[in-house]
Amino acid sequence: DAGVTQSPTHLIKTRGQQVTLRCSPISGHKSVSWYQQVLGQGPQFIFQYYEKEERGRGNFPDRFSARQFPNYSSELNVNALLLGDSALYLCASSLESGTHYGYTFGSGTRLTVV
Amino acid sequence: EDQVTQSPEALRLQEGESSSLNCSYTVSGLRGLFWYRQDPGKGPEFLFTLYSAGEEKEKERLKATLTKKESFLHITAPKPEDSATYLCAVQGVRTGANNLFFGTGTRLTVIP
């Protein structure tokens, strides 16, 4: 049974460019969340989507946006990249949007901004 | 504001030397406290969810406990394969049911 899959695994971009990261949740999971993990820190919440609607947003600038598709896959977009956007971007899926269902993380996309 | 503090930042143990990791938290109404294990370059791997003070959960050499202010992850007779970063996260009523608030983790190294 496939877990949460993220693509690409690694990415190098130049300051000012735009990037799109992709996530496919576990089959049957309707909720997808995005987290940013800077080296040496814990993951920080960016967005949650459930049934194609935004259910939560963390403290990130408007350069960050996301969407969820009818098949529950999701994309995270970051515009006007800054050096500080370099991080591991993690996607987590769950059955529903609440606590009682575990959050399963993918292996992440390592974004390097130069 | 929700806050999670993990200690120690790093811990080196000899194989078989039991110890505990601490997660102190402040949250306005705890929905759940989560423990994850993370290997370098990988995503966090779910270990436990605890919901109320006094609750305990076990999995192999790991045991998680919860009080009203902190959680402990006890590691009994660790093996080198237990080496990883252990992350604690909380989900609070105020932040809604939508996100986890993580600590910075404890980096555990088990020496053969």
Side-chain angles (χ1 to χ4, degrees):
Chain A
D1 200 15
V4 178
T5 57
Q6 293 188 242
S7 63
T9 54
H10 296 84
L11 202 54
I12 299 175
K13 289 286 189 178
T14 304
R15 277 179 298 174
Q17 285 189 314
Q18 175 265 340
V19 68
T20 299
L21 311 181
R22 295 177 176 83
C23 172
S24 293
I26 290 173
S27 178
H29 283 196
K30 300 178 181 179
S31 174
V32 169
S33 300
W34 288 94
Y35 287 79
Q36 180 196 66
Q37 187 175 24
V38 174
L39 198 62
Q41 301 295 314
Q44 187 173 358
F45 174 69
I46 309 175
F47 286 110
Q48 189 204 27
Y49 277 79
Y50 175 68
E51 291 279 16
K52 302 181 290 297
E53 292 189 1
E54 184 183 301
R55 287 298 186 92
R57 173 186 288 253
N59 188 24
F60 280 80
D62 291 343
R63 300 184 295 108
F64 289 78
S65 63
R67 56 180 174 169
Q68 187 177 33
F69 298 99
N71 66 353
Y72 302 112
S73 67
S74 178
E75 287 182 350
L76 175 69
N77 295 285
V78 186
N79 293 321
L81 285 167
L82 303 174
L83 294 179
D85 295 331
S86 296
L88 181 68
Y89 287 84
L90 296 162
C91 173
S93 79
S94 60
L95 275 171
E96 305 283 346
S97 64
T99 310
H100 295 285
Y101 306 94
Y103 296 84
T104 303
F105 283 84
S107 293
T109 294
R110 172 69 64 186
L111 172 64
T112 302
V113 182
V114 297
Chain B
E1 183 177 298
D2 297 347
Q3 194 164 6
V4 175
T5 303
Q6 292 190 247
S7 61
E9 289 186 9
L11 182 63
R12 289 172 64 89
L13 299 174
Q14 292 289 332
E15 184 172 1
E17 179 187 2
S18 302
S19 188
S20 295
L21 313 182
N22 177 262
C23 171
S24 297
Y25 66 90
T26 302
V27 65
S28 57
L30 181 70
R31 287 182 179 269
L33 185 141
F34 297 73
W35 282 98
Y36 283 86
R37 167 197 170 121
Q38 187 173 28
D39 293 303
K42 300 287 183 66
E45 176 189 343
F46 173 76
L47 294 173
F48 304 108
T49 308
L50 303 168
Y51 296 103
S52 58
E55 189 174 0
E56 300 182 352
K57 288 191 176 175
E58 289 189 64
K59 179 181 179 180
E60 297 180 358
R61 295 178 293 282
L62 300 176
K63 178 180 177 179
T65 62
L66 181 65
T67 72
K68 289 185 177 180
K69 293 183 178 180
E70 56 192 353
S71 176
F72 292 93
L73 185 64
H74 308 277
I75 303 177
T76 302
K79 298 182 178 182
E81 53 262 42
D82 295 323
S83 297
T85 294
Y86 290 84
L87 294 165
C88 171
V90 296
Q91 195 171 53
V93 171
R94 185 172 60 191
T95 55
N98 300 328
N99 64 285
L100 302 178
F101 189 90
F102 282 86
T104 55
T106 293
R107 188 172 67 254
L108 174 66
T109 304
V110 182
I111 304 163

